[in-house]
mmCIF file of all heavy atoms in Angstrom:
data_model
loop_
_atom_site.group_PDB
_atom_site.id
_atom_site.type_symbol
_atom_site.label_atom_id
_atom_site.label_comp_id
_atom_site.label_asym_id
_atom_site.label_seq_id
_atom_site.Cartn_x
_atom_site.Cartn_y
_atom_site.Cartn_z
ATOM 1 N N ALA X 130 -1.435 -47.298 0.961
ATOM 2 C CA ALA X 130 -2.873 -47.464 1.196
ATOM 3 C C ALA X 130 -3.232 -48.937 1.312
ATOM 4 O O ALA X 130 -4.000 -49.340 2.183
ATOM 5 C CB ALA X 130 -3.658 -46.816 0.065
ATOM 6 N N SER X 133 -2.173 -50.274 4.553
ATOM 7 C CA SER X 133 -2.911 -49.760 5.709
ATOM 8 C C SER X 133 -4.263 -50.434 5.874
ATOM 9 O O SER X 133 -4.928 -50.256 6.888
ATOM 10 C CB SER X 133 -3.103 -48.255 5.586
ATOM 11 O OG SER X 133 -4.107 -47.982 4.646
ATOM 12 N N VAL X 175 -18.757 -34.961 -0.917
ATOM 13 C CA VAL X 175 -19.643 -33.970 -0.316
ATOM 14 C C VAL X 175 -21.096 -34.372 -0.494
ATOM 15 O O VAL X 175 -21.914 -34.260 0.427
ATOM 16 C CB VAL X 175 -19.385 -32.582 -0.937
ATOM 17 C CG1 VAL X 175 -20.451 -31.601 -0.515
ATOM 18 C CG2 VAL X 175 -18.031 -32.082 -0.516
ATOM 19 N N LYS X 176 -21.415 -34.890 -1.684
ATOM 20 C CA LYS X 176 -22.784 -35.295 -1.962
ATOM 21 C C LYS X 176 -23.216 -36.404 -0.995
ATOM 22 O O LYS X 176 -24.308 -36.361 -0.426
ATOM 23 C CB LYS X 176 -22.888 -35.793 -3.409
ATOM 24 C CG LYS X 176 -24.014 -35.145 -4.176
ATOM 25 C CD LYS X 176 -24.061 -35.670 -5.590
ATOM 26 C CE LYS X 176 -23.172 -34.904 -6.539
ATOM 27 N NZ LYS X 176 -23.004 -35.543 -7.836
ATOM 28 N N LEU X 181 -26.203 -38.180 3.744
ATOM 29 C CA LEU X 181 -26.137 -38.844 5.046
ATOM 30 C C LEU X 181 -26.684 -37.922 6.131
ATOM 31 O O LEU X 181 -27.402 -38.350 7.033
ATOM 32 C CB LEU X 181 -24.686 -39.196 5.350
ATOM 33 C CG LEU X 181 -24.459 -40.155 6.494
ATOM 34 C CD1 LEU X 181 -24.963 -41.519 6.112
ATOM 35 C CD2 LEU X 181 -22.988 -40.228 6.826
ATOM 36 N N SER X 209 -23.892 -25.337 4.416
ATOM 37 C CA SER X 209 -24.055 -26.050 5.692
ATOM 38 C C SER X 209 -23.185 -25.436 6.777
ATOM 39 O O SER X 209 -22.648 -26.120 7.625
ATOM 40 C CB SER X 209 -23.702 -27.519 5.523
ATOM 41 O OG SER X 209 -24.290 -28.044 4.388
ATOM 42 N N LYS X 211 -23.710 -23.855 9.435
ATOM 43 C CA LYS X 211 -24.049 -23.992 10.844
ATOM 44 C C LYS X 211 -23.622 -25.332 11.425
ATOM 45 O O LYS X 211 -23.421 -25.457 12.628
ATOM 46 C CB LYS X 211 -25.560 -23.815 11.011
ATOM 47 C CG LYS X 211 -25.931 -22.355 11.174
ATOM 48 C CD LYS X 211 -27.421 -22.227 11.370
ATOM 49 C CE LYS X 211 -28.115 -21.662 10.148
ATOM 50 N NZ LYS X 211 -28.938 -22.505 9.381
ATOM 51 N N SER X 278 -27.934 -55.130 24.442
ATOM 52 C CA SER X 278 -29.272 -55.386 23.924
ATOM 53 C C SER X 278 -29.261 -56.551 22.928
ATOM 54 O O SER X 278 -30.300 -56.973 22.444
ATOM 55 C CB SER X 278 -29.820 -54.123 23.257
ATOM 56 O OG SER X 278 -29.072 -53.856 22.092
ATOM 57 N N LEU X 285 -20.099 -59.621 20.896
ATOM 58 C CA LEU X 285 -18.976 -59.023 21.598
ATOM 59 C C LEU X 285 -18.847 -59.567 23.027
ATOM 60 O O LEU X 285 -17.747 -59.663 23.564
ATOM 61 C CB LEU X 285 -19.171 -57.503 21.636
ATOM 62 C CG LEU X 285 -17.914 -56.676 21.844
ATOM 63 C CD1 LEU X 285 -16.986 -56.851 20.673
ATOM 64 C CD2 LEU X 285 -18.283 -55.225 22.008
ATOM 65 N N ARG X 336 -5.998 -35.664 -24.043
ATOM 66 C CA ARG X 336 -6.575 -36.226 -25.265
ATOM 67 C C ARG X 336 -7.482 -35.200 -25.939
ATOM 68 O O ARG X 336 -7.456 -35.040 -27.157
ATOM 69 C CB ARG X 336 -7.343 -37.499 -24.930
ATOM 70 C CG ARG X 336 -7.424 -38.425 -26.115
ATOM 71 C CD ARG X 336 -8.037 -39.774 -25.824
ATOM 72 N NE ARG X 336 -9.088 -39.747 -24.849
ATOM 73 C CZ ARG X 336 -9.020 -40.366 -23.663
ATOM 74 N NH1 ARG X 336 -7.931 -41.013 -23.330
ATOM 75 N NH2 ARG X 336 -10.025 -40.321 -22.833
ATOM 76 N N ARG X 351 -6.751 -25.787 -44.221
ATOM 77 C CA ARG X 351 -7.763 -25.588 -45.249
ATOM 78 C C ARG X 351 -7.821 -24.131 -45.688
ATOM 79 O O ARG X 351 -7.888 -23.830 -46.881
ATOM 80 C CB ARG X 351 -9.117 -26.015 -44.707
ATOM 81 C CG ARG X 351 -9.813 -26.956 -45.660
ATOM 82 C CD ARG X 351 -11.110 -27.387 -45.094
ATOM 83 N NE ARG X 351 -11.057 -28.807 -44.823
ATOM 84 C CZ ARG X 351 -12.101 -29.498 -44.412
ATOM 85 N NH1 ARG X 351 -13.238 -28.889 -44.192
ATOM 86 N NH2 ARG X 351 -11.994 -30.786 -44.217
#
Side-chain angles (χ1 to χ4, degrees):
Chain X
S133 76
V175 170
K176 231 180 273 169
L181 193 69
S209 314
K211 273 181 253 110
S278 68
L285 202 65
R336 206 174 35 244
R351 230 178 246 186

